[in-house]
């Protein structure tokens, strides 16, 4: 069993037992491996989901006695022995804090998937098959299995089937999640904004929502300054974005021989020598995020080798790519006192 690290963000300083906390669980880049991921398991007994017939009323998660397992319990700073409550008490009342396996997704209020649910590699428009119905059905089946009150999905470059569809057309079919496509969703005062774009790379073979440097900057400028949780598929340049180069992945022998002959220099971005790896993140996104938007949290994926969390200039960055490491990141967002 693995202990669950929860990272506090937001108005943490001065927080008291009555502080309001929203727990956010972040995953990304599941690439059709989602079927192995399991909902959080209770310490004893079972929780179940009472499905709502209305799109305005979320599904209810109940314990064996039929009591709402998401019921808020304020004034509960101490953690109880049964793993029940976390600071502020927004935690499921009977679900354990630890993970039984790599595949167990921890519970929380909001589950965010930041793109590349699919693994479609069709690059050319001519040969791209339209697997929209199939993918949306898989997503609904997936998200419906989890007890989080709200699920948020932002597309990635492997979701080419979503690119030509308007936000409402996707949302009408994606009934189990909030689809953010250059749009904002507000949950208990927290502003989430989602955008699917990634910068053009010549060797990328999945080209949904891929934009050239000049065009992508305009999309980032549209992000509202009032954004608390920014969700993009692309990382910002130089932050949890070190990916294996095409040559190192596909021709490792040639790549290693090349780097033996041509000595590598410290990288201008990070100062480290990293032959066979390069920064895939977007420089324009970095600038907008660090200088103008300054969100509390920035969630992304895309670069599989970059899974991790770091804080820079007061902003917490999270890459939760599942493709190379099964590690979700969990945040308690303190919204006020
Ligand atoms: Zn570097
Ligand atoms: Zn991607």
């Amino acid at each position: 069993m693995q202990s669950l690290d929860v990272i506090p963000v937001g108005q943490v300083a001065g927080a008291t037992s009555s502080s309001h906390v929203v727990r956010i669980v972040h995953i990304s880049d599941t690439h059709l491996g989602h079927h192995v991921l399991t909902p959080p398991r209770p310490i004893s007994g079972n929780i179940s989901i009472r499905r709502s017939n209305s799109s305005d009323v979320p599904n209810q998660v109940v314990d064996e006695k039929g009591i709402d397992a998401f019921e808020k319990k304020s004034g509960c700073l101490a953690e109880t022995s049964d793993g029940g409550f976390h600071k502020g008490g927004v935690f499921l009342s009977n679900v354990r804090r630890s993970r039984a396996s790599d595949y167990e997704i921890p519970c929380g209020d909001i589950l965010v998937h930041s793109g590349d649910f699919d693994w479609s590699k069709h690059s050319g428009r001519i040969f791209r098959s339209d697997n929209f119905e199939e993918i949306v059905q898989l997503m609904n089946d997936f998200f419906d299995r989890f007890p989080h009150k709200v699920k948020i999905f932002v597309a990635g470059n492997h979701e080419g089937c979503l690119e030509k569809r308007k936000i409402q057309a996707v949302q009408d079919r994606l009934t189990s999640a909030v689809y953010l496509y250059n749009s904002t969703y507000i949950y208990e005062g927290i502003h989430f904004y989602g955008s699917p774009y990634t910068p053009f790379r010549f060797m990328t073979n999945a080209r949904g929502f891929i934009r050239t440097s000049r065009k992508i900057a305009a999309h980032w400028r549209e992000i509202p300054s009032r954004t608390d949780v920014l969700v993009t598929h692309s990382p910002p340049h130089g932050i949890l974005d070190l990916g294996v180069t095409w040559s190192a992945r596909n021709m490792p022998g040639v790549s290693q021989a090349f780097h033996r002959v041509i000595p590598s220099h410290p990288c201008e971005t990070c100062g480290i020598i990293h032959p066979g790896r390069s920064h895939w993140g977007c420089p324009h996104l970095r600038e907008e995020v660090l200088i103008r938007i300054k969100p509390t949290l920035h969630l992304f994926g895309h670069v599989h080798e970059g899974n991790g969390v770091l804080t820079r200039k007061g902003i917490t960055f999270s890459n939760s790519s599942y493709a190379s490491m099964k590690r979700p990141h969990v945040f308690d967002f303190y919204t006020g006192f």
Side-chain angles (χ1 to χ4, degrees):
M1 184 172 304
Q2 309 168 10
S3 64
L4 177 63
D5 293 328
V6 179
I7 301 160
V9 297
Q11 298 180 45
V12 179
T16 67
S17 58
S18 58
S19 294
H20 192 70
V21 187
V22 171
R23 178 162 291 183
I24 300 165
V25 179
H26 177 212
I27 60 174
S28 195
D29 295 68
T30 45
H31 288 297
L32 295 185
H34 57 278
H35 51 277
V36 300
L37 302 177
T38 63
R41 276 165 244 181
I43 285 171
S44 61
N46 292 303
I47 51 169
S48 57
I49 300 176
R50 246 185 221 156
R51 304 206 178 277
S52 157
N53 294 325
S54 162
S55 59
D56 298 331
V57 181
N59 293 335
Q60 194 185 21
V61 184
V62 293
D63 64 17
E64 287 180 322
K65 295 176 191 141
I67 295 167
D68 186 350
F70 263 122
E71 192 182 8
K72 302 233 172 189
K73 312 261 186 191
S74 57
C76 191
L77 234 155
E79 293 177 343
T80 58
S81 56
D82 68 351
F85 303 110
H86 193 74
K87 293 163 190 162
V90 260
F91 206 23
L92 278 174
S93 60
N94 66 349
V95 176
R96 63 169 143 235
R97 283 192 305 273
S98 312
R99 293 204 294 154
S101 77
D102 278 351
Y103 300 104
E104 187 175 323
I105 303 289
C107 59
D109 295 282
I110 298 189
L111 177 63
V112 176
H113 192 304
S114 54
D116 283 0
F117 180 91
D118 194 2
W119 201 209
S120 168
K121 289 189 172 185
H122 304 295
S123 57
R125 298 242 158 96
I126 297 166
F127 299 110
R128 184 186 294 161
S129 59
D130 187 356
N131 58 348
F132 174 71
E133 292 296 333
E134 181 193 343
I135 283 299
V136 156
Q137 186 60 49
L138 287 174
M139 280 193 212
N140 281 332
D141 293 344
F142 171 70
F143 285 123
D144 263 344
R145 287 169 47 219
F146 291 88
H148 307 74
K149 275 196 268 191
V150 175
K151 293 93 180 194
I152 291 176
F153 179 73
V154 172
N157 57 306
H158 284 269
E159 269 81 50
C161 67
L162 302 185
E163 181 162 12
K164 295 289 172 204
R165 288 179 160 88
K166 292 203 164 76
I167 182 169
Q168 195 56 49
V170 175
Q171 188 66 82
D172 286 347
R173 297 284 290 108
L174 187 63
T175 52
S176 61
V178 174
Y179 177 58
L180 288 186
Y181 180 19
N182 306 326
S183 55
T184 294
Y185 172 77
I186 302 172
Y187 180 87
E188 299 194 356
I190 302 174
H191 290 230
F192 291 79
Y193 184 90
S195 188
Y197 303 105
T198 42
F200 176 81
R201 288 171 56 244
F202 186 71
M203 299 313 291
T204 302
N205 58 8
R207 296 192 175 176
F209 303 101
I210 294 274
R211 294 291 182 272
T212 58
S213 175
R214 188 171 56 82
K215 286 192 175 165
I216 207 167
H219 289 299
W220 305 141
R221 281 196 295 272
E222 286 174 15
I223 300 172
S225 297
R226 170 71 207 271
T227 296
D228 302 307
V229 181
L230 177 61
V231 187
T232 57
H233 183 59
S234 172
H237 188 76
I239 297 178
L240 303 169
D241 72 332
L242 259 189
V244 177
T245 59
W246 185 90
S247 56
R249 190 188 304 279
N250 295 286
M251 301 184 295
V254 175
S255 174
Q256 284 164 15
F258 174 82
H259 289 298
R260 270 197 297 275
V261 176
I262 312 283
S264 299
H265 298 288
C267 166
E268 285 181 15
T269 299
C270 66
I272 296 168
I273 298 173
H274 45 70
R277 293 190 167 223
S278 63
H279 294 278
W280 292 17
C282 178
H284 300 292
L285 179 59
R286 178 193 173 99
E287 195 177 313
E288 288 288 325
V289 168
L290 287 174
I291 296 169
R292 179 179 64 85
I293 308 164
K294 298 176 186 160
T296 301
L297 257 182
H298 184 184
L299 313 178
F300 50 85
H302 187 52
V303 180
H304 297 170
E305 300 80 11
N307 187 308
V309 173
L310 65 78
T311 299
R312 195 164 289 176
K313 294 195 172 180
I315 303 163
T316 301
F317 295 90
S318 168
N319 178 338
S320 288
S321 290
Y322 255 59
S324 58
M325 192 187 293
K326 306 281 178 290
R327 187 189 292 165
H329 298 298
V330 184
F331 304 92
D332 272 355
F333 196 117
Y334 287 70
T335 59
F337 307 134

